[in-house]
Amino acid sequence: MRKASRLFEIIQILRLARKPVTAAEIAETLEVTPRSIYRDIAALQAMRVPIEGERGLGYVLRPGFDLPPLMFTIEETEAIVLALALLARTGDEELKAAARRVNQKITGAVPGPLRQAFQSQALHAWGTVAAPPPAIDLAMVRRAIRDEQKLALDYRDELGRASERTVRPLALIYYSEHAMMVAWCELRQDIRNFRADRVEHCEPVDDFFHGEGNDLRQLWISGWKMNADRPLEAEDA
């Protein structure tokens, strides 16, 4: 087990313990030597984690100590780093900015050994970066999904046919080349997929579908699973 992961696990063990825990007991749980635990506890104390105790008697975490709101193993930290990097490939400018803020917040919250994983720039996501769609704000679509608010949009399909739709947005799917909005189309009375780069205008309307979003998503997911061998594409107008 890497040192950063051990430090995290030691804090977790002490948090949950109802009595002092000896270095030998911690070492047995983590499958390392007691000597390694002594060094790790000294490192945590140097980082101002309020661990009290001594060899032979055991260690406790001082009552009232608040851990940082987010604590991860090194593998979990690397997963977050890569996920945030993948967000940079979407055409959603608000999500990309949010990813940068998340990175900064977590970097400031976690202990030093984990902070290195965020600052090392050792993990990267490579590939096509989607351009922001010219006529639809993906942040607005995400808000409409959360608020269960209908959207009015002008749409042009693959054959160039134009139509006006009122839709109930249910989900956004981010591909490397573009984003796709899944929505209940009131014109077709069915679920349709709309490529964001084919939307010519989109705005929220003063009408909502409160309480219907989850049921409609389940309907979409059920149909998607039934056609799992068929790629998800934008529907014809």
Side-chain angles (χ1 to χ4, degrees), residues 26-199:
I26 298 173
E28 182 178 1
T29 300
L30 301 183
E31 299 181 345
V32 296
T33 65
R35 185 176 180 180
S36 295
I37 299 302
Y38 291 135
R39 288 198 298 263
D40 290 341
I41 288 177
L44 287 168
Q45 290 171 330
M47 289 188 286
R48 298 185 179 180
V49 177
I51 297 174
E52 299 177 346
E54 57 183 272
R55 298 188 182 195
L57 297 178
Y59 296 92
V60 297
L61 192 63
R62 185 187 305 155
F65 171 67
D66 290 327
L67 283 172
L70 296 173
M71 289 288 289
F72 305 102
T73 65
I74 189 65
E75 290 79 12
E76 291 166 344
T77 302
E78 290 175 340
I80 295 171
V81 170
L82 187 56
L84 294 175
L86 287 168
L87 277 176
R89 295 171 58 185
T90 72
D92 194 321
E93 295 298 323
E94 187 178 80
L95 278 185
K96 289 162 66 174
R100 291 191 292 270
R101 294 196 301 272
V102 168
N103 193 305
Q104 292 170 354
K105 287 181 179 180
I106 298 179
T107 300
V110 299
L114 295 183
R115 190 177 303 124
Q116 295 174 7
F118 283 89
Q119 298 176 331
S120 66
Q121 297 185 333
L123 298 176
H124 299 269
W126 196 257
T128 303
V129 177
I136 183 171
D137 182 359
L138 297 179
M140 178 188 66
V141 176
R142 286 189 284 104
R143 286 193 293 272
I145 292 172
R146 293 195 301 267
D147 297 340
E148 297 186 336
Q149 184 174 14
K150 296 181 183 181
L151 298 174
L153 54 94
D154 298 335
Y155 188 73
R156 191 172 296 277
D157 69 12
E158 185 178 11
L159 300 178
R161 297 174 297 193
S163 62
E164 296 180 357
R165 310 292 184 99
T166 298
V167 301
R168 305 175 189 183
L170 305 174
L172 271 175
I173 302 174
Y174 293 88
Y175 295 91
S176 58
E177 302 87 2
H178 60 265
M180 185 93 75
M181 177 174 61
V182 180
W184 174 269
C185 176
E186 296 191 349
L187 176 66
R188 301 303 186 201
Q189 286 295 294
D190 201 358
I191 292 175
R192 289 290 188 265
N193 308 317
F194 300 93
R195 276 186 53 154
D197 56 352
R198 293 180 188 163
V199 174

